[in-house]
Amino acid sequence: MNKIAEKIGAQDIIRANSQAEAKEAERIRLEAEHYKALMEELRANADNFKQNAEDFKLTAEEYKQHLNEMISDAKAYKESLEELRADYKEHQELLEANETRIHDVGVQVYRNVQAVVEKNQEKNKDEFKEVARRLESIQIGVETKNTAVLPVLIITLLVAGADLVINLLRLFGII
């Protein structure tokens, strides 16, 4: 070391130290400028990020508002749907009740018509028996050559036929 120190003088060492310090200072200065440029870039990016964040916040608020509107619309639609379902059930129940009533009335009308038809059949049977009896008496009169009975027989038949037609018209509700 001493030999090296003898070869290199103190001035050379100071100069070498100065050069090394100058290089180090230059490196630190370049590094500082690099860091300063990075800081400026970070600031620009931070401003850009801040602007983007504000835009995102506004957009998020708009979406939130639209979402709230959609939720309220969905609730309103759901309520309307539930009301419609309730109305449908109510109408369905009324329709079923009406169908039951209509069926009951139909059965009642059928039974009433059946009773009227049976009653009229009995009445018509009695009238036919009466007509048959009259016919027999007329036939007996005709066989005995009673000519006055024939017009009475025709009139009786016409009256009995007219009565039958009237009863049938009443039965079918035409009269």
Side-chain angles (χ1 to χ4, degrees):
M1 287 293 268
N2 286 337
K3 288 184 184 182
I4 292 177
E6 288 175 10
K7 286 184 182 180
I8 301 175
Q11 281 295 339
D12 288 330
I13 291 174
I14 292 172
R15 203 174 328 136
N17 277 342
S18 291
Q19 285 176 352
E21 284 177 4
K23 280 185 180 181
E24 183 63 22
E26 181 64 22
R27 186 189 65 79
I28 289 174
R29 187 186 62 76
L30 288 174
E31 196 174 294
E33 285 178 9
H34 178 68
Y35 286 143
K36 185 177 180 182
L38 287 176
M39 286 299 287
E40 288 298 320
E41 188 178 334
L42 282 174
R43 281 189 188 115
N45 286 342
D47 289 340
N48 191 12
F49 178 76
K50 185 177 179 182
Q51 183 63 36
N52 287 341
E54 288 177 13
D55 291 344
F56 179 76
K57 183 179 178 182
L58 291 175
T59 304
E61 288 176 7
E62 289 175 6
Y63 284 133
K64 184 178 179 181
Q65 183 180 5
H66 289 304
L67 181 62
N68 288 338
E69 289 174 4
M70 288 171 54
I71 288 171
S72 65
D73 288 346
K75 286 179 182 177
Y77 290 138
K78 184 178 179 182
E79 290 173 2
S80 297
L81 182 61
E82 288 178 8
E83 289 176 9
L84 287 173
R85 283 182 182 163
D87 288 346
Y88 174 75
K89 284 183 180 180
E90 182 179 326
H91 289 356
Q92 188 70 21
E93 290 170 359
L94 289 174
L95 182 63
E96 289 173 5
N98 283 340
E99 286 177 357
T100 303
R101 281 190 223 128
I102 289 170
H103 175 73
D104 292 346
V105 168
V107 168
Q108 213 172 27
V109 167
Y110 173 77
R111 288 181 182 161
N112 288 342
V113 168
Q114 187 179 20
V116 167
V117 167
E118 288 175 1
K119 184 178 178 184
N120 283 335
Q121 281 179 345
E122 291 294 323
K123 187 176 179 183
N124 288 339
K125 282 181 186 178
D126 292 340
E127 288 177 4
F128 282 127
K129 286 179 184 177
E130 180 65 26
V131 168
R133 187 184 58 77
R134 287 182 187 173
L135 270 174
E136 284 178 19
S137 66
I138 290 173
Q139 190 175 9
I140 291 171
V142 169
E143 287 175 359
T144 60
K145 305 249 178 194
N146 190 356
T147 57
V149 176
L150 183 61
V152 172
L153 174 66
I154 293 172
I155 291 171
T156 305
L157 283 175
L158 289 175
V159 169
D163 186 49
L164 178 64
V165 169
I166 290 172
N167 283 330
L168 286 175
L169 290 176
R170 282 185 189 158
L171 174 69
F172 291 118
I174 296 174
I175 298 179

